[in-house]
């Protein structure tokens, strides 16, 4: 976690700094040249976005602290779980976790430590929260990353085909299927897949493991295969419920391009229909889709909570669910911060990159 | 639907229509009120004629009508006793049969009856949560578009901040923090899903407010409240209607998710709750697909029906509008 949160804040600060120092410089002698003016304009734009992101991250930090304090119940009582404990022991535990301090002191401590990447000690695991998150992060990144690549490619490919044959039976079937899967609760789809393909119904044997990430008795290349085998169903579930959004955006942005004169020109040159689509129309229609990709990248991590819970995937989502039931305040806070900052960072990245991709966007 | 929402604006219309009685015609000029009513009726008829051409929208509407009917008549069809755990009619976990078309749960209750009761919860929570979300979004959007300056800046900052919050995580957090009840679920969904509506409505408000008739109304002495409620609101209402329909399907899905995670009132039978029951009763490992399949299918069908209606309304109102926005 430390490697995630602090660089984020530092990056924001560095962005502001570089813009502050880089901003006035081009505006000096060469202010007349439109190129340098636009570079300065872009620096200012990017700095604004990064500063906004830093503010948002801080707001998330504040929320993560106060929101979960509202959970009813005393965390110390939860931890002792009915065992006979003396008042001295309880007082000692309160001191250990810093729960004996006034709320505002807890808050300033929390913020100060969070800036250095320290999110405290988990109540239930008695281990640094950062370590728990670092343990679970690779599993989540592996699952969501794989799913992201697949559903993005699938969505763009199907969306482009759908728009190109707008109104055809294929287009309608495509859109209908995507909308249907989009309306399906992901956890339900996951459970159904487990029943039919892991447990097995009737003649279908159990083809895939019911959950977890690996069997644990393999090494080397076999281990890779084993993990891939475990990943099939969760990835299929995530892809099925997520690809619709990409498809719909790709489809509508390509539809917007369809009337373009440059496509007529391309056809008049004698290009094959397929080439017109791939070389001319799709690259232009990709622009709005790119923004969505970043947003997806940020939300998929949080969106995987359910899929991870259903498939007992040892990732952040499963950890979050576990932590909520205690409630394990430090862990919940930190995970909330991770989920929200993933979205913020990706949105900011999209904002910053977009003008570079599309010069028409006003700054 | 549109008429009922715009009706409140009628009584105040005469002051705007006064000058229309000017040119002396042979036939008595229709009263401004009648004119307004006729215009609105025409608008609704035109809307319906265009909506009718969207086959998917019609299918969605028909499905919703059937499901609403089932939800309303559930007490007549299956009776309130079917939710009782103590005097359940069947044995635990019976497979589908003639007596229990969808089988029974671990307490021996008929799943078909529970499904029908669940319809009421899902629809109620979905509708109320969507209404709350859209109401907040509309209020924030219109005021932020109307009052410019620091108010708008602050409000839109807050909106942006809510927008980047992972909705599901925030809703889960809220549902955990507050006590378990249907109202908590509604609140958690409503409070987390409004920012999209707020942004949409604000953009529309800005474009409406730049039109000359707003300036005219202001020159005639119309105050902030008058302009927002009589001029801006009726103009953003169609957009809000489309947005509501789309938010409902999100709300129904989120409700099912929260119930599945055990974060809603455990005494109330809902589709998401049934799925959680099924999982806890070991329906997954014993391969009882007939217990798991119907609730999820029902959620998907209702969510899809609302989405289809929303998309049809959207494309009638604004044929150029991107589908996903």
């Amino acid at each position: 976690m430390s490697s995630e949160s602090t660089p984020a804040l530092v990056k924001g600060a560095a962005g502001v700094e570089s813009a502050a120092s880089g901003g006035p410089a081009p505006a000096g002698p060469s202010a007349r040249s439109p190129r340098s003016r636009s570079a300065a304009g872009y620096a200012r734009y990017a700095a604004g976005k990064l500063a906004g992101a830093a503010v948002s991250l801080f707001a998330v930090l504040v929320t993560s602290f106060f929101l979960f304090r509202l959970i009813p119940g005393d965390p110390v009582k939860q931890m002792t779980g009915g065992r006979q404990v003396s008042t001295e022991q309880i007082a000692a535990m309160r001191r250990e976790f810093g729960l004996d301090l006034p709320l505002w002191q807890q808050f300033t401590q929390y913020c100060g430590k969070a800036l250095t990447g320290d999110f405290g000690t988990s109540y239930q695991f008695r281990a640094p929260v950062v370590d728990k998150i670092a343990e679970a992060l690779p599993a989540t990144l592996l699952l969501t990353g794989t799913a992201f690549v697949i559903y993005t490619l699938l969505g763009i490919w199907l969306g482009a085909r759908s728009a190109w044959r707008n109104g055809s039976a294929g287009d309608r079937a495509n859109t209908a299927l995507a909308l249907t899967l989009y309306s399906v609760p992901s956890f339900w789809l996951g459970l159904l897949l487990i029943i039919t393909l892991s447990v097995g119904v009737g003649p279908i044997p159990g083809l895939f493991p019911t959950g977890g990430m690996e069997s644990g008795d393999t090494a080397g290349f076999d281990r890779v295969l084993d993990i891939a085998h475990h990943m099939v169903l969760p990835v299929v579930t995530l892809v099925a419920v997520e690809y619709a959004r990409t498809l719909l955006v790709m489809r509508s942005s390509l539809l917007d391009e369809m009337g373009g004169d440059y496509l007529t020109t391309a056809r008049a040159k004698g290009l094959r229909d397929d080439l017109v689509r791939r070389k001319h129309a799709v690259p232009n229609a990709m622009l709005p889709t790119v923004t969505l990709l970043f947003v997806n990248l940020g939300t998929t991590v949080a969106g995987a909570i359910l899929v991870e819970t259903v498939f007992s995937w040892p990732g952040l989502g499963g950890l979050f669910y576990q932590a909520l039931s205690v409630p394990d305040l430090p862990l919940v806070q930190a995970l909330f911060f991770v989920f929200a900052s993933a979205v913020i960072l990706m949105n900011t990245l999209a904002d910053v990159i977009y003008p570079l991709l599309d010069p028409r966007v006003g700054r | 639907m549109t008429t009922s929402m715009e009706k409140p604006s009628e009584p105040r219309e005469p002051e705007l229509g006064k000058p229309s009685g000017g040119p002396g015609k042979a036939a008595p000029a229709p009263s401004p009120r009648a004119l307004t009513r006729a215009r609105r009726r025409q608008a609704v008829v035109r809307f319906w004629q265009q909506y009718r051409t969207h086959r998917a929208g019609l299918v969605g509407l028909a499905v919703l009508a059937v499901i609403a009917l089932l939800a309303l008549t559930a007490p007549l069809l299956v009776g309130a006793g079917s939710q009782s755990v103590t005097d359940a009619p069947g044995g635990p976990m019976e497979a589908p049969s003639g007596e229990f078309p969808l089988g029974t749960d671990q307490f021996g209750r008929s799943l078909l009856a529970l499904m029908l009761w669940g319809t009421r919860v899902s629809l109620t929570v979905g509708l109320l949560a969507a209404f709350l979300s859209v109401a907040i979004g509309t209020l924030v959007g219109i005021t932020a578009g109307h009052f410019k300056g620091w108010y708008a800046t602050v409000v839109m900052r807050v909106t942006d901040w809510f927008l980047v919050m992972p909705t599901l995580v925030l809703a889960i957090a809220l549902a955990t923090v507050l006590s378990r009840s249907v109202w908590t679920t509604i609140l958690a969904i409503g409070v987390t899903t409004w920012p999209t509506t707020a942004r949409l409505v604000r953009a529309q408000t800005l474009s409406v407010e730049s039109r000359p008739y707003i300036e005219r109304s202001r020159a005639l002495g119309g105050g902030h409240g008058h302009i927002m409620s009589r001029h801006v609101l009726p103009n953003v209402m169609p957009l809000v209607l489309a947005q509501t329909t789309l938010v409902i399907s999100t709300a129904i899905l989120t409700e099912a998710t929260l119930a599945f995670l055990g974060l809603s009132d455990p005494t109330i039978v809902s589709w998401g709750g049934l799925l959680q029951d099924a999982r806890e009763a070991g329906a997954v490992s014993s391969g009882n697909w007939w217990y798991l399949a119907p609730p999820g299918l029902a959620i998907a069908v209702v969510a899809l029906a609302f989405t289809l209606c929303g998309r049809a309304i959207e494309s009638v109102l604004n044929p150029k509008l991107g589908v996903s926005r």
Side-chain angles (χ1 to χ4, degrees):
Chain A
M1 181 55 232
S2 62
S3 54
E4 275 247 323
S5 70
T6 34
L9 289 166
V10 171
K11 207 175 19 173
V16 174
E17 242 174 22
S18 72
S21 60
S30 60
R32 306 241 157 156
S33 117
R35 236 193 116 174
S36 69
R37 198 191 306 148
S38 80
Y42 177 71
R44 210 172 304 125
Y45 165 86
K49 289 291 174 197
L50 289 174
V55 170
S56 295
L57 281 175
F58 182 70
V60 167
L61 197 65
V62 174
T63 319
S64 67
F65 179 82
F66 285 106
L67 180 61
F68 297 103
R69 303 280 138 170
L70 296 173
I71 297 182
D74 186 343
V76 174
K77 286 226 178 73
Q78 295 275 352
M79 274 184 279
T80 52
R83 273 178 286 128
Q84 285 291 322
V85 207
S86 66
T87 33
E88 288 81 39
Q89 274 175 305
I90 288 186
M93 278 178 85
R94 285 191 179 282
R95 239 191 332 276
E96 184 190 341
F97 291 110
L99 289 167
D100 54 339
L101 298 171
L103 198 60
W104 67 270
Q105 265 185 0
Q106 287 186 35
F107 176 65
T108 45
Q109 268 195 2
Y110 171 69
C111 288
K113 281 189 176 167
L115 286 178
T116 59
D118 179 6
F119 276 89
T121 310
S122 157
Y123 294 162
Q124 55 178 335
F125 299 108
R126 296 295 177 104
V129 165
V130 179
D131 291 355
K132 291 304 290 183
I133 292 181
E135 258 173 51
L137 192 63
T140 291
L141 289 184
L142 181 67
L143 177 66
T144 53
T146 315
F148 173 78
V149 170
I150 296 177
Y151 75 66
T152 299
L153 294 178
L154 192 70
I156 289 177
W157 183 62
L158 288 177
R161 286 178 58 99
S162 224
W164 206 246
R165 306 252 173 277
N166 180 25
S168 69
D171 170 35
R172 269 182 286 143
N174 234 337
T175 319
L177 182 67
L179 278 177
T180 309
L181 286 172
Y182 187 56
S183 311
V184 165
S186 59
F187 55 90
W188 176 69
L189 189 63
L191 290 176
L192 274 197
L193 286 177
I194 292 179
I195 284 198
T196 47
L197 297 178
S198 301
V199 178
V201 169
I204 313 172
L207 296 173
F208 296 99
T210 52
M213 192 168 131
E214 51 186 318
S215 314
D217 52 359
T218 50
F221 186 66
D222 281 348
R223 183 160 176 249
V224 174
L225 278 184
D226 186 44
I227 293 180
H229 191 208
H230 279 81
M231 246 169 66
V232 173
L233 292 186
V235 166
V236 166
T237 311
L238 272 177
V239 168
V241 296
E242 292 282 352
Y243 86 100
R245 216 174 327 169
T246 317
L247 182 149
L248 292 175
V249 168
M250 186 64 205
R251 180 175 176 273
S252 73
S253 56
L254 187 57
L255 280 180
D256 280 348
E257 299 289 333
M258 294 280 279
D261 291 336
Y262 67 97
L263 292 185
T264 317
T265 314
R267 283 206 192 84
K269 284 197 303 194
L271 287 185
R272 271 184 296 120
D273 191 51
D274 197 36
L275 279 179
V276 176
R277 185 187 65 189
R278 276 192 293 125
K279 301 275 177 200
H280 292 263
V282 169
N284 276 312
M286 276 301 289
L287 288 168
T289 317
V290 168
T291 318
L292 182 78
L293 294 189
F294 281 102
V295 176
N296 279 344
L297 205 54
T299 53
T300 306
V301 176
I305 291 178
L306 286 163
V307 174
E308 286 187 3
T309 308
V310 166
F311 286 98
S312 343
W313 190 259
L316 294 179
L319 198 61
F320 184 65
Y321 185 58
Q322 260 183 345
L324 265 181
S325 46
V326 174
D328 190 345
L329 285 180
L331 194 52
V332 173
Q333 280 168 184
L335 282 169
F336 184 81
F337 184 74
V338 172
F339 290 137
S341 46
V343 179
I344 294 174
L345 291 180
M346 286 305 151
N347 284 357
T348 312
L349 207 58
D351 281 342
V352 171
I353 289 180
Y354 198 74
L356 299 178
L357 296 176
D358 188 352
R360 290 170 301 183
V361 173
R363 282 158 192 172
Chain B
M1 188 128 191
T2 328
T3 35
S4 68
M5 276 191 278
E6 292 184 355
K7 227 164 222 163
S9 63
E10 281 177 19
R12 297 266 295 268
E13 289 288 300
E15 65 179 84
L16 296 168
K18 236 179 249 165
S20 70
K25 278 182 190 164
S31 77
R33 218 183 242 220
L35 277 177
T36 320
R37 210 171 296 146
R39 202 185 63 225
R40 299 239 156 97
R41 199 177 308 127
Q42 268 178 2
V44 172
V45 168
R46 210 166 22 194
F47 175 83
W48 174 242
Q49 275 170 350
Q50 287 187 26
Y51 186 92
R52 246 182 9 193
T53 59
H54 292 263
R55 209 190 310 160
L58 283 182
V59 171
L61 205 59
V63 170
L64 285 183
V66 171
I67 288 174
L69 196 68
L70 285 178
L72 287 174
T73 54
L76 302 173
L77 293 175
V78 290
S82 53
Q83 288 188 76
S84 159
V85 181
T86 43
D87 47 319
M93 305 289 266
E94 276 181 35
S97 62
E99 195 187 349
F100 304 110
L102 296 179
T104 61
D105 72 351
Q106 62 269 45
F107 305 111
R109 299 180 291 183
S110 163
L111 278 175
L112 182 65
L114 294 179
M115 284 284 297
L116 281 172
W117 280 108
T119 317
R120 294 165 80 98
V121 177
S122 287
L123 282 187
T124 315
V125 173
L127 288 171
L128 287 180
F131 182 75
L132 179 66
S133 155
V134 171
I136 301 176
T138 310
L139 187 71
V140 169
I142 289 186
T143 50
H146 181 80
F147 301 106
K148 292 156 189 103
W150 66 267
Y151 171 79
T153 316
V154 170
V155 164
M156 288 326 281
R157 269 264 147 233
V158 174
T159 310
D160 282 348
W161 173 74
F162 264 100
L163 206 58
V164 296
M165 284 291 178
T167 314
L168 185 62
V169 177
L170 198 59
I172 290 177
L174 276 176
T176 316
V177 167
L178 304 168
S179 61
R180 306 255 189 285
S181 82
V182 175
W183 296 106
T184 302
T185 313
I186 293 172
L187 199 70
I189 299 171
V191 164
T192 48
T193 51
W194 60 269
T196 336
T197 316
R199 291 209 75 110
L200 273 175
V201 169
R202 177 171 168 268
Q204 181 77 0
T205 304
L206 286 175
S207 102
V208 168
E209 292 232 348
S210 66
R211 290 178 200 164
Y213 70 85
I214 299 286
E215 203 182 336
R216 170 185 174 275
S217 171
R218 199 170 283 144
L220 287 174
H224 293 301
H226 175 80
I227 290 174
M228 283 191 284
S229 60
R230 302 278 169 237
H231 298 299
V232 179
L233 188 62
N235 273 297
V236 298
M237 224 49 214
L239 183 82
V240 168
L241 175 68
Q243 183 64 14
T244 312
T245 331
L246 294 174
V247 171
I248 294 174
S249 56
T250 320
I252 288 178
L253 278 174
T254 314
E255 187 270 333
T257 307
L258 291 177
F260 176 71
L261 291 175
L263 294 172
S264 69
D265 189 346
T267 59
I268 286 178
V269 175
S270 72
W271 291 338
L274 281 178
L275 285 175
Q276 192 214 3
D277 287 349
R279 189 166 176 241
E280 282 187 350
V284 178
S285 48
S286 48
N288 293 337
W289 58 270
W290 42 264
Y291 191 166
L292 272 170
L297 207 59
I299 296 167
V301 166
V302 173
L304 181 63
F306 275 111
T307 307
L308 291 179
C309 287
R311 281 169 58 91
I313 296 175
E314 235 181 3
S315 68
V316 167
L317 296 175
N318 187 354
K320 281 223 69 173
L321 204 67
V323 245
S324 76
R325 277 266 144 180

